[in-house]
Amino acid sequence: MTMALKVKKVELQHKNCISRRRVKVTLNNGAIVYIESCYESWQQYGGTREELMLTMPIAERFNDWLHGIE
């Protein structure tokens, strides 16, 4: 039986330095996906295709924050 993949924790890192801001997403399977700014958008790394698809809405939600738009 497979465990349903879920987000366990979302951390906003380097809040005081816009150029270093990133979002760290911990999943219930132990995987960690990082989301960082990339031009006017964002990029993710550290997960499988399924894990990255799951965290896409989080990336969209925090895109402005990553770019310093509060």
Side-chain angles (χ1 to χ4, degrees):
M1 186 167 146
T2 357
M3 170 177 45
L5 193 57
K6 294 182 182 179
V7 173
K8 185 175 178 182
K9 186 175 183 182
V10 176
E11 298 174 68
L12 304 180
Q13 298 185 322
H14 309 294
K15 296 175 188 174
N16 296 327
C17 183
I18 294 170
S19 65
R20 294 185 63 213
R21 282 184 180 181
R22 70 180 182 181
V23 181
K24 178 182 176 183
V25 183
T26 305
L27 304 177
N28 65 337
N29 66 353
I32 297 175
V33 174
Y34 290 98
I35 304 165
E36 297 181 345
S37 65
C38 181
Y39 298 99
E40 289 87 33
S41 190
W42 47 266
Q43 62 183 354
Q44 299 183 93
Y45 59 91
T48 65
R49 182 172 169 26
E50 181 183 8
E51 292 162 350
L52 298 177
M53 293 295 290
L54 177 68
T55 57
M56 275 180 59
I58 296 168
E60 288 294 333
R61 163 68 179 87
F62 289 103
N63 186 48
D64 285 347
W65 178 81
L66 289 168
H67 294 282
I69 302 166
E70 300 299 326

